[in-house]
Amino acid sequence: MRYTKPILTMNLRTYLLSIFVSISFIFSQAQTSEIDSLSIAWQDSELSDSLRMEALRELITIYYYNLRQTDTAVYLAKEMIEFGKKKSNLRHQAEGWSLIGYSYLYAGHQYFDTIIPLHKYSLRLRYQTGNNNLMAEGLKIIGDVYYNLTQLDSSNHYRRKAAKAYTRLNKLELAADLYSGIAWNYYMLGDYKKSIQSHYKGTKLLDDHADSLAQVNASMHLARCYWRLGDLDLAEYYIHKATRFAPQENRKERIFKSKEALGVLEMERGNYQVSLKYLTEVIEEARKQEDLHWEGNALLNRSNTLKEMERYDEAIADLQRNIQIREIMGSIDHAWLIAVSSLADVYATAGRADEAIEQGLQYLEFLEGQTKDELVVESASAYHALTHAYEQKGEYQKALLYHQKLVNLEDSLSSKSAKREIARQEYLYKADSLELVTLNNAELASQRLEYEKSQNRILAIGGVLLVALLFGAVLYYTNQRKKQAQRELAEARLKQQLEENRMKAVKAQFKPHFLANVQVAIQNYMEQGHAAKASEYLDNYSGMLRGVLNSSDKPIVTL
């Protein structure tokens, strides 16, 4: 295989292996001695209970974390629980259940369904102690366990609770650290905006009290988030800020790490010459410091820039050197896989089809039987390189074959992601249901009190709103009645005024002098014995009066 060419001689390999075995033997002897000392301390009844529990806690940690001896760790944790029951100490019992949960966590996923209930039962006991520090610690532990189980949403839920608890206790550094953990979870979930928001919550707690290293880590986290969001200017700003806050003792290292980040950022911008300058400086400094890990990362990034510049031979040389470095370090990890798959892709892009095919096939042979998602995903780039290489050689059937494998792989990964998401949601539902069952009495009483208070607040607000509504309705009705009465009164006055005016108009049409003359004329006719003329005159007079009265309400009267 091209990328597994031996770098060290067999004698040197044997020498290094012997050193490794010697160091391992010395380490195991020291660990055995530590276990013996802790066992003696735990069983020494003359020591105080706190010292005995501290020794037992350290002993359990060695068994489940260093030695991976789950059964022994669980047995000792149960001893701690029994000791707590004997002493009526809920704290020791809670710690015992947590340590059992940790033992199963490091034993593997066959205990997956057991881990969270154990830690939640421990949390229940912590609440019963009434000790706020223990409660906050229990919430933090569950958040960390969910993180280890890659249940990031649930991890954020409990870490947020713990952060609030530590804030109330004025333990701001612990709270800020939890918010940083929440920010990292959101980053891994791809929710970069929430990651930035959570990060700012943590830094706001510390303000200027954070040490320079914390400021460096915070700035680099923000740079990564803004980078993912496509805001390269803000990403660059925070990269430079990380350099400014770097402690004096590792400022030089921080400067070159920032240069590496800037080199990748400039490649994203298309400034390939600037990117190449930054990354070359980083590689040279890493070689001076003899830091293989740092050099390998910079070589991988520079190869991407060289590929974009179509300087394929130099990109290939960088990738080959990166692969050699990983093999010297004995680190066949995700970065090694990226380098190998990138090498096959560069061969194909450079038109070196035979080498691309050889590299791609050897790479797929290595991946055969792998089930980890990050390894399976890397095979996609190999399929792509093989498709491209076989197209160049005119072997279209093979090109079509690997293209179809690439399509099938993408479909299967999508399916796996969907299945994992469904399984995760189901687990979260079960976990939430279990949490409701295992909540302690103190927490339930607190929740019930808060519920009753909220209900009372709702009822009080509802009562006030109802009274206000009734008062408004009465006020509105009264106001309307008042307006109606005013309208009726105004109408009555208007009618009266109109009638008075009409009567005045009628009176104005009958002059007293005219009436007197008519009466005198009728009287003369009667005295002279002309009754017929008097009667006729009276009829004409009455007809005139009738006509005047009938036309009194008309603006115009025809003659």
Side-chain angles (χ1 to χ4, degrees):
M1 295 173 66
R2 186 178 304 277
Y3 51 83
T4 55
K5 182 178 179 181
I7 303 298
L8 303 176
T9 63
M10 185 57 68
N11 290 337
L12 183 56
R13 287 181 182 274
T14 305
Y15 174 69
L16 292 175
L17 181 62
S18 65
I19 291 176
F20 175 76
V21 171
S22 300
I23 293 173
S24 300
F25 177 75
I26 294 170
F27 178 75
S28 63
Q29 289 295 106
Q31 199 165 64
T32 301
S33 177
E34 184 180 8
I35 289 173
D36 292 340
S37 300
L38 291 171
S39 298
I40 292 171
W42 143 239
Q43 294 172 0
D44 189 351
S45 58
E46 295 183 0
L47 292 176
S48 65
D49 291 347
S50 60
L51 288 176
R52 292 180 66 189
M53 289 298 99
E54 182 66 28
L56 183 56
R57 191 181 303 110
E58 291 293 328
L59 187 62
I60 295 169
T61 303
I62 290 174
Y63 274 115
Y64 79 72
Y65 185 76
N66 297 86
L67 302 178
R68 296 293 196 270
Q69 295 184 16
T70 306
D71 292 339
T72 305
V74 171
Y75 171 78
L76 291 173
K78 289 180 178 179
E79 289 288 313
M80 178 180 284
I81 294 169
E82 291 301 320
F83 183 86
K85 289 180 179 179
K86 183 178 178 181
K87 297 289 185 177
S88 299
N89 191 314
L90 292 174
R91 175 175 183 171
H92 295 331
Q93 295 178 50
E95 289 181 347
W97 287 111
S98 290
L99 289 169
I100 293 175
Y102 274 125
S103 301
Y104 286 144
L105 176 66
Y106 285 93
H109 288 290
Q110 62 267 34
Y111 299 104
F112 182 82
D113 293 333
T114 309
I115 296 168
I116 294 299
L118 287 169
H119 283 289
K120 287 188 175 180
Y121 184 73
S122 172
L123 179 62
R124 177 182 178 181
L125 295 174
R126 290 170 188 269
Y127 271 100
Q128 289 178 5
T129 65
N131 188 316
N132 291 328
N133 284 295
L134 286 178
M135 297 177 199
E137 184 185 35
L139 291 168
K140 178 182 180 299
I141 287 172
I142 295 180
D144 293 342
V145 170
Y146 270 124
Y147 171 80
N148 284 303
L149 296 173
T150 66
Q151 303 293 324
L152 302 183
D153 289 330
S154 294
S155 174
N156 282 346
H157 174 71
Y158 281 95
R159 282 180 170 177
R160 193 175 293 107
K161 280 187 173 182
K164 291 178 180 178
Y166 279 125
T167 302
R168 288 193 294 270
L169 293 169
N170 204 32
K171 295 187 175 182
L172 301 183
E173 290 187 4
L174 287 172
D177 184 60
L178 283 163
Y179 278 120
S180 295
I182 293 169
W184 182 248
N185 285 351
Y186 277 127
Y187 181 84
M188 290 193 291
L189 288 168
D191 195 338
Y192 306 118
K193 290 183 179 179
K194 285 187 178 179
S195 179
I196 291 170
Q197 292 170 0
S198 300
H199 168 79
Y200 278 134
K201 283 184 180 179
T203 53
K204 186 178 179 182
L205 291 174
L206 296 177
D207 292 330
D208 298 328
H209 302 294
D211 59 27
S212 55
L213 186 58
Q215 295 281 8
V216 169
N217 294 332
S219 298
M220 288 307 297
H221 177 80
L222 285 173
R224 282 191 292 267
C225 289
Y226 282 116
W227 195 325
R228 294 290 186 180
L229 289 170
D231 195 335
L232 300 184
D233 292 336
L234 269 176
E236 182 179 4
Y237 167 77
Y238 281 106
I239 291 172
H240 287 300
K241 187 176 180 180
T243 305
R244 291 198 303 272
F245 280 110
Q248 192 62 40
E249 60 271 16
N250 62 352
R251 180 175 294 276
K252 189 174 182 180
E253 178 185 352
R254 180 68 260 165
I255 288 173
F256 278 93
K257 286 187 176 180
S258 295
K259 279 189 176 182
E260 181 181 1
L262 290 170
V264 181
L265 184 143
E266 293 299 339
M267 184 192 68
E268 293 283 339
R269 286 175 170 165
N271 299 330
Y272 301 126
Q273 291 294 344
V274 179
S275 172
L276 195 61
K277 175 179 175 292
Y278 278 133
L279 294 171
T280 301
E281 289 178 2
V282 172
I283 292 168
E284 290 173 355
E285 180 63 23
R287 287 171 178 169
K288 288 180 184 178
Q289 301 291 334
E290 297 183 352
D291 190 325
L292 294 178
H293 179 76
W294 187 5
E295 180 188 352
N297 288 342
L299 283 167
L300 180 61
N301 289 322
R302 190 173 73 172
S303 70
N304 292 327
T305 301
L306 290 168
K307 179 188 173 185
E308 294 296 327
M309 299 173 71
E310 299 183 358
R311 294 164 61 172
Y312 300 121
D313 290 340
E314 295 173 73
I316 290 169
D318 278 357
L319 289 169
Q320 288 176 336
R321 172 60 183 163
N322 184 20
I323 292 167
Q324 291 174 352
I325 286 173
R326 300 294 174 184
E327 290 168 357
I328 292 172
M329 296 170 61
S331 178
I332 310 301
D333 56 5
H334 195 220
W336 179 86
L337 291 168
I338 293 174
V340 174
S341 60
S342 297
L343 183 56
D345 185 56
V346 174
Y347 275 137
T349 306
R352 296 164 64 170
D354 291 333
E355 291 166 297
I357 291 170
E358 180 185 359
Q359 190 78 15
L361 291 175
Q362 289 175 345
Y363 179 60
L364 291 176
E365 182 182 351
F366 172 81
L367 287 180
E368 188 176 354
Q370 298 287 347
T371 57
K372 290 185 178 180
D373 285 346
E374 60 269 21
L375 301 183
V376 176
V377 169
E378 286 304 322
S379 62
S381 59
Y383 288 144
H384 181 270
L386 287 168
T387 301
H388 193 187
Y390 279 121
E391 281 180 349
Q392 292 175 359
K393 295 191 69 176
E395 299 182 27
Y396 299 111
Q397 288 294 334
K398 290 184 178 180
L400 182 61
L401 171 66
Y402 284 105
H403 177 72
Q404 188 60 48
K405 287 186 177 182
L406 176 62
V407 172
N408 293 339
L409 176 65
E410 291 175 348
D411 291 343
S412 67
L413 287 174
S414 299
S415 176
K416 285 181 181 179
S417 300
K419 289 178 182 178
R420 281 198 301 273
E421 180 63 20
I422 292 171
R424 187 179 70 83
Q425 294 294 340
E426 288 179 351
Y427 182 80
L428 288 176
Y429 173 77
K430 292 178 181 177
D432 290 341
S433 300
L434 181 62
E435 180 180 6
L436 293 174
V437 175
T438 57
L439 278 174
N440 58 81
N441 294 331
E443 188 176 11
L444 282 175
S446 175
Q447 289 181 352
R448 191 177 297 111
L449 181 61
E450 288 296 324
Y451 175 77
E452 290 175 356
K453 287 181 178 179
S454 65
Q455 290 294 102
N456 291 337
R457 283 195 294 269
I458 292 171
L459 290 174
I461 292 171
V464 171
L465 290 175
L466 182 60
V467 170
L469 183 63
L470 291 173
F471 179 75
V474 171
L475 186 63
Y476 176 78
Y477 178 75
T478 304
N479 190 38
Q480 291 298 110
R481 288 294 303 273
K482 185 177 179 181
K483 288 181 179 180
Q484 181 67 22
Q486 290 174 348
R487 282 196 299 269
E488 292 176 355
L489 180 61
E491 289 175 0
R493 287 177 178 175
L494 181 59
K495 288 180 180 179
Q496 183 181 1
Q497 186 67 32
L498 290 172
E499 188 65 25
E500 290 176 357
N501 291 338
R502 193 175 69 82
M503 292 303 297
K504 286 180 181 180
V506 172
K507 288 178 181 180
Q509 295 180 29
F510 295 100
K511 301 295 183 182
H513 182 68
F514 170 75
L515 294 175
N517 289 337
V518 171
Q519 290 175 0
V520 170
I522 294 171
Q523 184 178 1
N524 288 334
Y525 277 127
M526 292 180 68
E527 288 176 353
Q528 294 175 6
H530 300 297
K533 287 185 177 182
S535 177
E536 180 184 359
Y537 196 94
L538 186 61
D539 288 338
N540 291 336
Y541 176 64
S542 64
M544 183 195 68
L545 289 177
R546 189 181 300 108
V548 169
L549 291 174
N550 287 337
S551 61
S552 63
D553 57 348
K554 296 180 181 179
I556 299 174
V557 179
T558 58
L559 296 178

